[in-house]
Amino acid sequence: FTERIGLAMSNKNANVVYAYIDNHTPKRPPRPGEKDAYGRLTQIVPMGVQVWRSIDKGETWNKVSTEDDKLERFAGTYGWVFGQIRTDPNDENIVYIMGVPMAKSTDGGKTFQTIQTWGQHYKGDPVHGDHHALWIDPTNSNYIINGNDGGVAVSYDGSKTWKTFVHNMPTTHFYNVTYDMKVPFNIY
C-alpha cells in the first residue's frame, strides 16, 4: 500500500537521512458524506504521509511524524506526484515536505506546520498550492526556491513569505504518455 518514497540526506550531518512515505494502508472508514479534495465521495482514508528518520545512514529507521489529520490528507494519495522531502543544509532538524500544501518541521520531522503560500502575491500572481520541488541555498537557508504547479516561487526569509518572480515560464509536467499505431507513429 505504499507509493513512492522520497529520501533526503542531511548536508549538516551525513548520518541523518529522512524518508517521506505516502502510506495507503487504510486508517479508518470514511465519515458519512466525506469527500476528497476533488469533491468525490471518499472510498478509503489512508494513513497518509509518514516521515521516518535514520541517524545511522539508513541502517535503522524510526517513524518520527505523528498520525494526525494534517498528514492524513497531505498528499491526497498522490504521493507518486509529490513524495518530496528536503532538509535544511544548515540544520538537520529542519525538514520540508511537499504536497498540497507544503509543510515545515523544526523538530526533526515530529511535527509540521503548514507553510502558507496561497494569498502570497507578487504583481498579482498567486503562489500555487501543489508543491513538487524545493531548493535551499546551502550558504543561506533563508533563500529557498519552490517549484509548483504555478511555476517558481522564491522566499528570502526561510519560507515565511513568497514571491513569484518567474512569469510566463513555459513549463509543464506530464502524467501520461502514449502513442498511436500510425506510420510514422505519433506520441501524445
Side-chain angles (χ1 to χ4, degrees), residues 149-180:
D149 279 5
V152 176
V154 179
S155 177
Y156 294 107
D157 57 13
S159 74
K160 293 179 187 128
T161 60
W162 295 89
K163 295 182 179 186
T164 53
F165 280 106
V166 182
H167 300 284
N168 300 322
M169 189 166 94
T171 62
T172 189
H173 55 146
F174 296 95
Y175 289 100
N176 295 299
V177 176
T178 191
Y179 61 94
D180 62 26

Side-chain angles (χ1 to χ4, degrees), residues 6-8 17-21 23 49-54 60-65 67 85 108-109:
L7 296 173
V17 184
Y18 289 94
Y20 172 116
I21 298 171
N23 187 341
V49 171
Q50 297 175 331
V51 175
W52 292 68
R53 179 179 163 136
S54 172
T60 60
W61 292 87
N62 291 306
K63 186 170 80 65
V64 291
S65 62
E67 304 292 338
I85 186 167

Side-chain angles (χ1 to χ4, degrees), residues 55-104:
I55 57 171
D56 57 12
K57 297 182 181 179
E59 291 292 322
T60 60
W61 292 87
N62 291 306
K63 186 170 80 65
V64 291
S65 62
T66 59
E67 304 292 338
D68 64 12
D69 290 344
K70 185 186 307 177
L71 294 182
E72 175 184 290
R73 296 184 176 272
F74 194 81
T77 70
Y78 293 103
W80 55 273
V81 173
F82 304 113
Q84 297 289 319
I85 186 167
R86 298 288 183 272
T87 61
D88 184 308
N90 301 299
D91 187 335
E92 67 197 59
N93 293 306
I94 296 179
V95 182
Y96 294 86
I97 55 176
M98 280 147 276
V100 180
M102 181 168 49
K104 179 180 181 179

Side-chain angles (χ1 to χ4, degrees), residues 74 82 98-102 115 117-118 126-132 146 148-150:
F74 194 81
F82 304 113
M98 280 147 276
V100 180
M102 181 168 49
I115 295 173
T117 56
W118 280 107
V127 177
H128 200 279
D130 292 17
H131 305 277
H132 300 281
N146 168 247
N148 56 68
D149 279 5

